[in-house]
Amino acid sequence: MADKTKEIYLGQDKQKVDESYMNYIKEHNDSSIKTDARTILGVTIGSLLSAFNIAVFVNAANLVPGGFNGASVLIQRIALKFFGLTIPFAPLSLMFNIIPAAFAFVIIGKKYTLFSFYSILVFSFATDLIPKINITNDPLLLAVFGGIISGTASAIVLRSGASQGGTDFIAMCCSVKKGINTFNYVMLCNITMLVISGIIFGMESALYTIIYQFAYTQMLNYLYRRYEKKTLFVVTDKPHEVSAEIRRVTNHSCTIFNGEGGYTGNKVEMVYTIIGTEQLSLVKHSILSIDKNAFINVITSQNIEGRFYMRPFH
């Protein structure tokens, strides 16, 4: 009888959770002027900061930024050095981003791609318009702080709900399909391209660029952790309520274990689940609102096999 009552309770609770989740998705995917304005503001700031970084740090130290932006810069420098031609950055950047944007449009979503194209447009044209500024002649300082600024700018754009295009498009598409962080792999591809540029223009600037890329990647991974996952072990007297609340706010299910206290010998229950890092603060607050005496252990998850829900882009 107790099992039957529990089954009815869980069935009702599941229905409430599913309804709450559908409302959550609707709320986060519906267009709103306030949300879109916030996104546009963040994307504009991040894109202008990236353009400023090119003018002040990258060009001053003859660095080569990663991905298609790096390819655009390389073409500009090759055209100037060997043919005496000055090619604007914007047309090259837009040309390189067309195909990745098409994949992003299909895999990630229309709104995400449109905001990303806005980022590409602002960054590309601002790069041509912002004049070169000489802050220092030390290439090491330019490489380190240029990488930090570039990573910060990318994180601002990504956290705002868009991308700066190019390899960002590719990285995000792979992450959505595989659920993994691919930025470190992108860095390895960038290093290969830099070696090629080093053969043409000299290895010194290429080596400084590797430092720039490393600083960029570390800053980006630090500020943008959408694909990092956390494992939660929650010892609580209200396991079913806690499990339902976690699913309500994250759409992640839980496993409930029966156990025994090693010291007291009392029967205890533990809730186990895996969530995204960006959800951790909300989940902890939600758990403690149900059981203020809950014991929560958080562990960083390195490898996960199987189905794991990724919150959609909006």
Side-chain angles (χ1 to χ4, degrees):
M1 184 66 181
D3 291 340
K4 184 67 175 178
T5 302
K6 181 177 178 181
E7 182 179 342
I8 293 174
Y9 165 76
L10 291 177
Q12 293 173 342
D13 187 69
K14 179 181 183 301
Q15 184 178 359
K16 292 179 181 178
V17 169
D18 289 342
E19 290 175 355
S20 297
Y21 174 66
M22 292 306 297
N23 291 333
Y24 170 85
I25 290 297
K26 185 177 186 299
E27 175 187 345
H28 284 73
N29 281 292
D30 282 351
S31 297
S32 70
I33 296 176
K34 184 177 180 180
T35 300
D36 290 348
R38 202 162 46 232
T39 299
I40 291 173
L41 177 62
V43 169
T44 302
I45 293 172
S47 301
L48 290 176
L49 187 59
S50 290
F52 176 80
N53 177 64
I54 295 290
V56 176
F57 294 91
V58 172
N59 288 334
N62 290 320
L63 304 173
V64 180
F68 296 137
N69 291 334
S72 299
V73 169
L74 273 178
I75 291 174
Q76 283 184 302
R77 292 175 183 170
I78 289 172
L80 183 61
K81 180 176 181 178
F82 295 102
F83 303 101
L85 298 176
T86 300
I87 302 177
F89 180 85
L92 294 172
S93 176
L94 295 175
M95 178 184 69
F96 278 120
N97 280 285
I98 290 176
I99 295 178
F103 282 103
F105 188 85
V106 174
I107 296 174
I108 299 175
K110 297 178 181 178
K111 179 176 276 191
Y112 176 83
T113 305
L114 290 175
F115 281 132
S116 298
F117 248 111
Y118 171 72
S119 173
I120 294 167
L121 288 171
V122 172
F123 166 69
S124 299
F125 288 104
T127 299
D128 284 330
L129 295 174
I130 295 177
K132 294 182 179 180
I133 303 174
N134 186 16
I135 291 181
T136 177
N137 293 321
D138 189 330
L140 181 59
L141 290 176
L142 292 169
V144 172
F145 284 96
I148 292 173
I149 292 174
S150 181
T152 301
S154 292
I156 291 173
V157 174
L158 289 169
R159 290 173 70 95
S160 298
S163 163
Q164 291 185 305
T167 53
D168 279 352
F169 273 149
I170 296 172
M172 299 298 281
C173 288
C174 291
S175 296
V176 169
K177 284 293 186 180
K178 300 294 183 179
I180 59 174
N181 187 329
T182 61
F183 290 110
N184 285 327
Y185 298 104
V186 171
M187 186 183 72
L188 292 176
C189 294
N190 291 337
I191 290 174
T192 302
M193 183 182 69
L194 293 174
V195 170
I196 297 173
S197 70
I199 295 174
I200 300 174
F201 296 101
M203 289 304 300
E204 183 173 321
S205 63
L207 292 174
Y208 279 121
T209 302
I210 292 174
I211 297 175
Y212 166 89
Q213 288 294 332
F214 180 80
Y216 160 80
T217 304
Q218 296 308 309
M219 197 66 185
L220 181 59
N221 283 333
Y222 177 75
L223 294 176
Y224 186 73
R225 302 192 175 193
R226 175 182 172 87
Y227 300 101
E228 185 178 284
K229 301 174 182 64
K230 298 291 185 182
T231 296
L232 266 64
F233 295 98
V234 184
V235 180
T236 174
D237 293 330
K238 302 177 180 179
H240 298 294
E241 293 91 332
V242 167
S243 176
E245 180 67 8
I246 291 174
R247 184 172 178 183
R248 185 186 72 80
V249 299
T250 69
N251 198 42
H252 292 300
S253 185
C254 304
T255 300
I256 299 176
F257 295 97
N258 295 319
E260 179 179 306
Y263 177 73
T264 63
N266 295 333
K267 299 297 182 182
V268 296
E269 291 183 288
M270 181 174 68
V271 178
Y272 161 81
T273 190
I274 300 175
I275 62 174
T277 297
E278 79 281 1
Q279 301 168 320
L280 180 59
S281 179
L282 174 61
V283 170
K284 288 169 66 177
H285 176 78
S286 299
I287 292 172
L288 294 175
S289 69
I290 293 175
D291 182 4
K292 64 179 181 179
N293 296 317
F295 180 84
I296 305 173
N297 183 25
V298 181
I299 301 173
T300 299
S301 302
Q302 297 296 331
N303 294 291
I304 297 175
E305 297 293 337
R307 297 182 62 186
F308 182 84
Y309 169 78
M310 292 294 296
R311 178 171 55 85
F313 292 94
H314 55 272

